[in-house]
Amino acid sequence: MSIFKSDILQGKVAIITGGGSGINLGIAKALVDHGASVALISRTQSKLDAAAEQLSPDGSQAKGFAADVRDVDALKGAIEKSVEAFGGLDILVNGAAGNFLAPAAALSPNGFKSVMDIDTLGTFNASRLCFEHLQKRGGGVILNVSATQAFMPTPMQVHPGAAKAAVDKITEDLALEWGPFNIRVVGIAPGGVEGTEGMKRLMPPGMDEKMRAALPLGRFTTTEEIGQVALFLVSPAAGYITGTTLVVDGASAMPLSGVFWTAMRQWGG
Ligand code: COA
């Protein structure tokens, strides 16, 4: 289901880091279904090839270029190949992220650094390297994928929480500095998304049903729903939205929402 015309992004080119799976693949699908061409960048070429094939069987609208966002030279190479393959760049989605559950007292400094490097530095690196390409087209959009951990203290998530809070700050500052170049910089902060690597990694075993029951809407979101919101944010319909991160979490990150909701349900039978 889409409220947008299927050609709203016709002729637009997007780079999507972390685009081989999960939320970012959902965003890629929404963009391709509305006319855009997408270059997917992440570490594993075979995974990217499979995702590109799924999005665009004839390869005309999707291609994969392997690079780790922590490796600036490799990332620069993949961005240049993407721009060459599709003839320019209009949209960058910074989706590459790393995560695992770890109590702060047991988290190694290198574990913390790895997630900061992927999420925060990766977002800056790709944005910085894409700036000149967006500028050449007279402007564009950068969409940063954040997470509710950025503003909601979350147990065993100090590393992604700190990394995504910094990503949200990058969204604000780049919007300010790059607005005059007609580049909008926006963010999306999903709550739990069904069927993703993040959900697999972050859901304590056997807790799915209990967690869903504690959510205000009684369910997590989907890659399709996040894809539709991302599509809106990168589309001309959101032309005056910049420097802000849209929370798409079904009110799950409102302070103590889960605790109150569980209590109300028990009280109401
Ligand atoms: N618990 C605690 N520490 C962990 C960990 C875990 N589950 N997984 C990795 N680490 C630590 C490692 O021990 C290492 O620290 P050390 O050198 O002090 O031992 C550090 O993190 C780096 O680990 P490594 O496996 O070498 O990093 P990597 O660069 O190959 O992988 C990660 C990056 C750590 C983010 C990895 O989890 C990953 O690749 N994830 C895939 C993407 C992903 O997480 N997607 C979900 C997004 S929501």
Side-chain angles (χ1 to χ4, degrees):
M1 190 269 295
S2 172
I3 61 163
F4 292 99
K5 284 194 196 157
S6 59
D7 63 352
I8 193 168
L9 296 181
Q10 198 70 44
K12 300 289 183 193
V13 179
I15 286 177
I16 305 182
T17 69
S21 62
I23 296 174
N24 306 314
L25 181 56
I27 294 174
K29 182 166 172 19
L31 269 54
V32 166
D33 286 350
H34 291 78
S37 300
V38 299
L40 312 173
I41 298 181
S42 69
R43 288 180 292 185
T44 314
Q45 188 66 50
S46 55
K47 194 170 157 186
L48 293 175
D49 290 343
E53 161 91 29
Q54 184 188 325
L55 292 169
S56 172
D58 69 359
S60 61
Q61 269 184 276
K63 295 184 195 308
F65 300 100
D68 189 321
V69 293
R70 294 171 286 188
D71 178 341
V72 178
D73 290 338
L75 181 60
K76 188 169 192 288
I79 289 170
E80 276 164 11
K81 281 186 209 152
S82 306
V83 170
E84 204 178 287
F86 292 116
L89 182 67
D90 306 283
I91 298 163
L92 165 67
V93 178
N94 281 308
N99 204 351
F100 48 83
L101 286 174
L107 177 64
S108 76
N110 195 39
F112 185 90
K113 180 177 181 299
S114 295
V115 174
M116 291 296 290
D117 282 352
I118 299 168
D119 294 24
T120 308
L121 273 72
T123 294
F124 179 77
N125 293 345
S127 303
R128 175 67 188 84
L129 292 167
C130 285
F131 173 74
E132 64 178 278
H133 298 294
L134 295 171
Q135 207 188 352
K136 274 188 198 148
R137 298 274 262 213
V141 189
I142 297 175
L143 171 64
N144 293 329
V145 180
S146 184
T148 52
Q149 292 94 316
F151 58 89
M152 181 180 71
T154 309
M156 295 187 265
Q157 290 282 272
V158 66
H159 40 318
K164 294 297 195 183
V167 166
D168 291 354
K169 190 64 174 59
I170 290 173
T171 300
E172 293 177 356
D173 282 26
L174 294 189
L176 190 72
E177 288 201 29
W178 293 353
F181 298 95
N182 197 30
I183 297 172
R184 292 191 297 114
V185 188
V186 289
I188 185 169
V193 186
E194 289 288 1
T196 58
E197 178 69 22
M199 192 69 110
K200 226 185 302 166
R201 284 170 174 262
L202 305 182
M203 180 67 70
M207 286 296 288
D208 301 34
E209 284 315 314
K210 281 190 184 130
M211 295 280 267
R212 281 190 196 90
L215 294 171
L217 293 177
R219 66 175 181 89
F220 293 106
T221 187
T222 61
T223 55
E224 289 79 14
E225 280 180 330
I226 298 301
Q228 289 299 308
V229 179
L231 174 64
F232 163 66
L233 287 172
V234 303
S235 78
Y240 204 60
I241 299 179
T242 191
T244 195
T245 297
L246 187 59
V247 178
V248 189
D249 73 332
S252 60
M254 283 185 163
L256 298 179
S257 68
V259 175
F260 281 130
W261 189 234
T262 304
M264 289 295 277
R265 279 188 173 159
Q266 282 167 359
W267 176 70

